[in-house]
Amino acid sequence: NDVSGGAAMTQDAINTLRGYGIKYILTHALSVPADPSVILPQAPANVPQAVLAWAQARLASLEHAGLPRPQVMFDPGIGFGKNAAQSWALLQHIS
């Protein structure tokens, strides 16, 4: 479970995950360690779109580096880098 939002992911780590078939959980994060004062600037209605765009870019990057998409799960980081209204908007649009 990578709460760094992929920031700590190295090619060696990707190779190890791929080689052993280990699942990787990519968590949306704005700061590491988590800083409650750092939140998404968007209004709650735009947060699902912003998080989805971020996830798609990170997933494409990981896949390009060799980590098969079926090995990656995405955690939208409810409560991490989001205020309560933003987290609620994510939950309402979790699909």
Side-chain angles (χ1 to χ4, degrees):
N1 187 8
D2 184 0
V3 297
S4 78
M9 186 57 80
T10 65
Q11 190 61 53
D12 285 342
I14 290 171
N15 294 342
T16 300
L17 291 169
R18 183 183 63 238
Y20 287 100
I22 298 168
K23 298 285 186 188
Y24 170 73
I25 301 172
L26 172 66
T27 303
H28 179 264
L30 298 176
S31 63
V32 177
D35 180 347
S37 68
V38 178
I39 63 168
L40 285 170
Q42 289 90 356
N46 297 331
V47 168
Q49 294 167 354
V51 171
L52 179 60
W54 179 92
Q56 289 171 330
R58 290 299 303 140
L59 288 168
S61 176
L62 289 166
E63 193 170 35
H64 180 74
L67 188 59
R69 194 164 288 211
Q71 280 184 246
V72 181
M73 293 177 278
F74 179 63
D75 174 353
I78 303 297
F80 293 91
K82 297 140 199 93
N83 62 31
Q86 293 170 330
S87 291
W88 180 243
L90 278 174
L91 287 170
Q92 289 176 311
H93 297 91
I94 200 71
S95 61

